[in-house]
Amino acid sequence: MTQQINTSENGVYIVQDGKITPLKPKPFGQDTIVWHNGQVLDVERAERIRIKKTK
């Protein structure tokens, strides 16, 4: 089975064992990929909330 990705959308794709897992972007934050034996084990997502607005 062939999967396709949309290259017109921003994001990150993890390809593992022939399967695609999309990670959609957030307004602010950080994603950390945790590897184990050469494969992705987890993705940790942290969110930042901006208090002071910039011009």
Side-chain angles (χ1 to χ4, degrees), residues 29-52:
Q30 173 177 299
D31 294 331
T32 303
I33 298 173
V34 179
W35 296 89
H36 181 72
N37 291 331
Q39 294 205 348
V40 176
L41 180 64
D42 293 310
V43 176
E44 298 173 351
R45 300 198 94 180
E47 184 176 5
R48 186 176 81 190
I49 299 171
R50 180 160 286 179
I51 303 300
K52 182 177 178 181

Side-chain angles (χ1 to χ4, degrees), residues 7-21:
T7 58
S8 65
E9 291 182 2
N10 291 335
V12 174
Y13 294 91
I14 296 173
V15 180
Q16 185 163 285
D17 298 329
K19 293 185 180 181
I20 298 173
T21 302

